[in-house]
């Protein structure tokens, strides 16, 4: 039978963090976890928007326990500040970290730390956040980290000689690189956490109608590209309520395999119900994964410790 959000078990007593929870897939995921009884931190760049999103969830589920907290993944000082507040929110540990937030196909911009914005937001920010929260995750008996990738990872390559696109830059090339980095990270995290109960999982939403695709055209003020994106969303994309299911499945379904990657079960994994899917050969390159991990530690200053 097709798995839906209705199959999520009671999550009372569990704690969860969802990045990018003010809209799109992040809001849907955070809302479902909160409705099922988890205490959920809406990790958002804009607290005003986050509070409005939390209010919408509370209107449908008055008992939902939600904390809105500022997190700008493109700014490592913000990541550290956010992580420093979480022990007070979850004194007994964190059960679910959903690395959901992302940006897509932006014109070349640099982060507050001088890194290419898509790589900084989609990969480095989540790498740092997970490492800083690792001790909290390891307090729990069955913690999960879910990192949201994309089918576009198949087009990606990690250019270690030009990670930040200073010599050559393509908006979609940089996006694909960041989404491949998400999978290399998720799989390497599971290998390094082998002696712990931590599950490192990944998911992708297929082609889902969210506001993600429109950010690039808005920043470049390309009306034509914006129209194309909106038309494609209207004709080809599935509803965001379906697109969010793979990451919810990864976060909550019983019996998922270590390092599992989940996506839609339809043709080309563009739409449908969640299932275990495969990823590119490049995403399983352990040498590249180790190098990316080392580079990420150097860029973020975050070192992982798997001692509980």
């Amino acid at each position: 039978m097709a798995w839906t959000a209705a199959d999520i078990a009671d999550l009372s007593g569990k704690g969860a963090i969802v990045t990018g929870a003010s809209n799109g897939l992040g809001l849907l995921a955070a809302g479902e976890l909160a409705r099922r009884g988890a205490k959920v931190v809406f990790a958002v760049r804009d607290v005003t928007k986050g509070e409005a999103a939390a209010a919408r969830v509370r209107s449908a589920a008055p008992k939902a326990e939600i904390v809105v907290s500022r997190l700008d993944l493109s700014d490592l000082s913000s990541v550290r500040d956010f992580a420093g507040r979480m022990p007070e929110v979850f004194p007994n540990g964190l059960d679910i970290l959903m690395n959901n937030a992302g940006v897509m196909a932006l014109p070349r911009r640099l982060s507050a730390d001088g890194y290419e914005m898509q790589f900084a937001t989609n990969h480095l920010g989540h790498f740092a956040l997970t490492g800083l929260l690792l001790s909290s995750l390891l307090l729990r008996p069955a913690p999960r980290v879910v990192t949201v990738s994309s089918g576009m990872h198949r087009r990606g390559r990690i250019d270690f000689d030009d990670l930040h696109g200073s010599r050559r830059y393509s908006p979609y090339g940089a996006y694909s690189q960041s989404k491949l980095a998400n999978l290399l990270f998720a799989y390497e995290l599971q290998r390094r956490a082998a002696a712990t109960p931590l599950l490192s999982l990944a998911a992708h939403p297929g082609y889902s109608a969210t506001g993600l695709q429109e950010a690039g055209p808005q920043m470049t003020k390309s009306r034509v590209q914006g129209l194309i994106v909106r038309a494609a969303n209207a004709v080809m994309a599935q509803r965001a309520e379906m697109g969010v299911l793979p990451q919810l499945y990864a976060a909550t379904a019983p019996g998922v395999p270590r390092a599992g990657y989940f996506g839609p079960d339809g043709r080309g994994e563009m739409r449908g119900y969640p299932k275990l899917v495969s990823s590119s050969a490049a995403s399983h390159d352990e040498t590249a994964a180790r190098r990316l991990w080392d580079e990420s530690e150097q860029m973020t200053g975050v070192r992982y410790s798997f001692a509980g």
Side-chain angles (χ1 to χ4, degrees):
M1 293 180 64
W3 189 92
T4 72
D7 294 304
I8 298 174
D10 178 57
L11 299 176
S12 297
K14 295 186 180 294
I17 295 172
V18 180
T19 66
S22 62
N23 55 38
L25 300 179
L27 172 55
L28 290 171
E32 288 294 344
L33 296 177
R35 276 189 282 272
R36 301 294 169 178
K39 180 179 183 179
V40 183
V41 170
F42 283 35
V44 298
R45 190 169 50 189
D46 186 325
V47 172
T48 300
K49 290 182 179 179
E51 291 288 3
R56 291 198 295 275
V57 174
R58 293 188 187 105
S59 69
K63 295 183 179 180
E65 191 173 3
I66 298 170
V67 176
V68 177
S69 189
R70 186 178 184 277
L71 170 64
D72 182 350
L73 287 160
S74 71
D75 183 343
L76 292 170
S77 66
S78 175
V79 176
R80 289 183 180 278
D81 287 346
F82 174 88
R85 295 191 294 272
M86 291 305 102
E88 184 176 344
V89 180
F90 300 113
N92 298 316
L94 175 66
D95 297 276
I96 299 167
L97 171 60
M98 189 175 288
N99 291 326
N100 163 84
V103 292
M104 180 179 185
L106 305 181
R108 189 170 186 270
R109 299 284 191 276
L110 296 182
S111 72
D113 304 286
Y115 304 134
E116 189 277 314
M117 186 65 77
Q118 297 189 79
F119 189 77
T121 304
N122 298 354
H123 169 62
L124 289 176
H126 284 127
F127 177 91
L129 179 66
T130 305
L132 292 167
L133 294 175
L134 187 59
S135 60
S136 183
L137 286 158
L138 294 179
L139 289 175
R140 304 300 293 164
R144 298 189 187 193
V145 175
V146 179
T147 301
V148 179
S149 183
S150 164
M152 290 283 286
H153 86 272
R154 295 183 181 279
R155 301 185 186 182
R157 59 182 290 269
I158 307 296
D159 187 349
F160 285 107
D161 294 324
D162 191 24
L163 280 173
H164 305 292
S166 58
R167 293 197 292 270
R168 289 180 64 182
Y169 183 77
S170 158
Y172 280 99
Y175 178 72
S176 298
Q177 175 180 250
S178 73
K179 293 289 104 179
L180 174 56
N182 287 153
L183 283 176
L184 287 167
F185 164 65
Y187 297 155
E188 182 66 12
L189 175 59
Q190 188 66 88
R191 285 188 288 270
R192 294 181 183 233
T196 78
L198 180 75
L199 284 179
S200 176
L201 306 159
H204 80 87
Y207 190 172
S208 299
T210 69
L212 183 65
Q213 300 91 343
E214 297 183 28
Q218 288 171 356
M219 291 182 71
T220 58
K221 297 181 171 58
S222 173
R223 184 181 178 188
V224 172
Q225 192 177 10
L227 289 171
I228 291 171
V229 166
R230 286 190 289 275
N233 278 352
V235 174
M236 300 171 58
Q238 65 177 345
R239 293 181 303 113
E241 288 79 5
M242 288 294 294
V244 76
L245 292 181
Q247 64 203 70
L248 282 171
Y249 184 90
T252 66
V256 295
R258 295 169 76 85
Y261 179 42
F262 303 92
D265 65 358
R267 185 176 180 180
E269 298 174 19
M270 298 287 279
R271 55 200 303 144
Y273 294 93
K275 72 168 185 176
L276 188 67
V277 297
S278 62
S279 60
S280 68
S283 72
H284 293 284
D285 183 336
E286 294 187 25
T287 300
R290 289 192 295 271
R291 184 175 178 185
L292 178 64
W293 190 281
D294 291 342
E295 295 272 2
S296 300
E297 284 192 336
Q298 290 180 15
M299 283 184 274
T300 64
V302 174
R303 303 289 188 271
Y304 279 58
S305 172
F306 291 92

